[in-house]
Amino acid sequence: MQRVKTVDKKFTANWINSKTSGSFPIKNDADIATASALDQTQNWKEADERCWEGVVPVECRSAACGTCWVGVLGGQEKLTEVGRLERKQMKIFGYNQPEEAKPFMRLACQAKTSGYVSIVIPPWNGVFGKKSYDNVERVELEPATTSA
């Protein structure tokens, strides 16, 4: 009989922002935003009004708001590849970057890790409602037809 042993691997995400730096634990295959929110070592909202739960500002966790983007300083190869939705949203938010599988800028809610990472959280992060549709190809929809 073969036994399967599962282990919840844990890593560390090191972060730096304009005020301070630190780290939080992150489980294998967890996204950076969720791991940040689980870090309850301090009152993040009191420290920075952009941060409702953890040190990474986040509004939606579905790549819709763009508030959680981070720069990857180290461990880029330990993050999942950028998916179609994340790549599209990054363009909409104006975060133009190379068309690489694992770029240096990521949405923390979409980037899952399989190892140690280091990120920078920009001081202008967490500002929502600034979508720039000029950066995305527009798709013309055919007019709706009505049936009589």
Side-chain angles (χ1 to χ4, degrees):
M1 178 177 195
Q2 189 175 8
R3 294 177 68 181
V4 177
K5 183 177 180 182
T6 59
V7 177
D8 286 334
K9 293 182 182 177
K10 294 181 183 177
F11 307 103
T12 302
N14 295 311
W15 57 268
I16 185 169
N17 64 21
S18 62
K19 298 176 184 176
T20 189
S21 63
S23 64
F24 54 84
I26 188 167
K27 289 183 181 178
N28 188 46
D29 203 36
D31 65 77
I32 295 170
T34 299
S36 167
L38 294 174
D39 179 22
Q40 297 298 312
T41 57
Q42 72 177 37
N43 182 338
W44 294 106
K45 179 80 171 157
E46 188 176 285
D48 186 334
E49 64 182 15
R50 304 172 303 148
C51 303
W52 294 11
E53 297 173 319
V55 69
V56 176
V58 65
E59 296 278 332
C60 72
R61 296 186 199 270
S62 63
C65 70
T67 60
C68 68
W69 74 276
V70 295
V72 182
L73 300 175
Q76 208 167 326
E77 70 282 359
K78 300 292 184 181
L79 296 175
T80 53
E81 292 187 5
V82 174
R84 186 183 63 77
L85 176 61
E86 182 181 6
R87 188 164 311 279
K88 176 185 169 199
Q89 291 298 83
M90 290 295 275
K91 287 180 182 176
I92 289 173
F93 296 118
Y95 308 138
N96 296 324
Q97 58 185 338
E99 294 285 327
E100 298 172 356
K102 298 181 179 185
F104 60 90
M105 284 178 27
R106 298 296 303 269
L107 291 175
C109 68
Q110 301 297 301
K112 293 183 178 184
T113 186
S114 63
Y116 296 91
V117 295
S118 295
I119 59 172
V120 62
I121 304 162
W124 53 87
N125 194 356
V127 178
F128 56 93
K130 302 289 184 190
K131 291 185 178 182
S132 173
Y133 288 99
D134 295 335
N135 296 323
V136 177
E137 291 181 27
R138 293 183 186 263
V139 177
E140 294 294 324
L141 300 176
E142 295 196 25
T145 57
T146 57
S147 56

